[in-house]
Amino acid sequence: MGVLSDKISREQLKPGDHIYSWRTAHIYAHHGIYTGEGMVIHFTRAAGQEIGTGTELDRAFFVSVPSHSSDAPCPRCGYHLRLRGGVISTCLDCFLADGDLYLFRYDVSLAFFIAKFRGGTCTLAASDPPADVIHRASFLLQHGFGVYQIFKNNCEDFAVYCKTGLLVFTNTSVGLSGQAVALFAIASAIISSPLRFLTTGFTGLAVIGWAMFSVSRLVSDVAVRRDVIKVSVERLVAYSGLDEQGITNTTKEDSITEMAMED
């Protein structure tokens, strides 16, 4: 496990770990919190219950659901694709969906963060103790985490919140997800660089593009950005009335903003 790969074995897993598995030819990854005894709590958008934005992009690329090969529920955890979405608890096999197991890294060095060019694999932020992480995940399993959105409230946002207790309180276009941040960083590096006109060479363009991409990722990391607030899971649920039946992201964002103003 290192800069090139964070793949781990099941024997290395510890309760409270933030894990992920790549989906669809490594286009994106699905994230969750390992709670021990082979179980994972994660935030999904299931095929049988529409709780996302409903955009074509959602449906084509970013539906973060475990895939079960049979129409029957999983014999170990009882998970069924058509049963429910939102925050769910499944066995590790259902979470991985035949993919490999990776560990999301916390409290990494700046050099390590820059070297990991794939977003959604590590952060400069430190993790809270495992007991706090599992408590948040278990509490949200009962109360939900709002409406699934690919850029502002996805499975990685859920896992990062469980690990750190941090949430974005501004109405930005991207949440805590390193995957979403990386997409915006790529776009910024391609179309927004005022330095791109200073060189016509491929090497110069590549260096400038890489520098802008890295800076964009860095300033959007949860440990660096200034529009985040630490919110206890009980306060979050009580303040915004989170439940999987009726919460909207607007309500959730407004509640977090109000809490930030109070603090």
Side-chain angles (χ1 to χ4, degrees), residues 29-47:
H30 185 47
H31 296 247
I33 300 295
Y34 181 69
T35 56
E37 299 183 350
M39 299 298 291
V40 185
I41 296 178
H42 46 124
F43 186 36
T44 70
R45 219 198 90 196

Side-chain angles (χ1 to χ4, degrees), residues 196-226:
R196 66 185 183 276
F197 300 109
L198 299 182
T199 179
T200 56
F202 176 79
T203 302
L205 287 172
V207 169
I208 291 172
W210 175 258
M212 289 204 63
F213 172 75
S214 299
V215 169
S216 297
R217 283 186 58 225
L218 177 61
V219 299
S220 298
D221 185 68
V222 62
V224 177
R225 61 193 296 174
R226 293 293 178 261

Side-chain angles (χ1 to χ4, degrees), residues 120 150-152 154 156-157 173-175 177-185:
I150 60 173
F151 293 121
K152 302 179 68 172
N154 60 35
E156 187 183 343
D157 290 287
S173 57
V174 63
S177 170
Q179 297 180 92
V181 165
L183 291 176
F184 281 88

Side-chain angles (χ1 to χ4, degrees), residues 3-14:
V3 173
L4 296 180
S5 175
D6 291 313
K7 186 185 295 186
I8 62 172
S9 67
R10 298 186 182 214
E11 291 73 25
Q12 293 174 283
L13 276 175
K14 293 177 289 187

Side-chain angles (χ1 to χ4, degrees), residues 138-181:
S138 299
F139 200 85
L140 293 174
L141 177 63
Q142 301 300 318
H143 298 277
F145 194 62
V147 177
Y148 190 99
Q149 285 190 339
I150 60 173
F151 293 121
K152 302 179 68 172
N153 202 54
N154 60 35
C155 58
E156 187 183 343
D157 290 287
F158 168 80
V160 171
Y161 170 71
C162 289
K163 290 286 284 186
T164 65
L166 297 173
L167 288 171
V168 176
F169 64 82
T170 55
N171 189 22
T172 61
S173 57
V174 63
L176 300 176
S177 170
Q179 297 180 92
V181 165

Side-chain angles (χ1 to χ4, degrees), residues 1 4-9 13 17-23 26 29-32 92 95-96 99-105 116 120-121:
M1 185 172 70
L4 296 180
S5 175
D6 291 313
K7 186 185 295 186
I8 62 172
S9 67
L13 276 175
D17 279 348
H18 173 173
I19 59 177
Y20 63 96
S21 181
W22 292 106
R23 300 281 202 263
H26 280 59
H30 185 47
H31 296 247
L92 187 57
F95 171 82
L96 292 175
D100 292 321
L101 174 64
Y102 296 84
L103 180 69
F104 192 101
R105 301 281 295 275
K116 294 287 286 186
T121 59

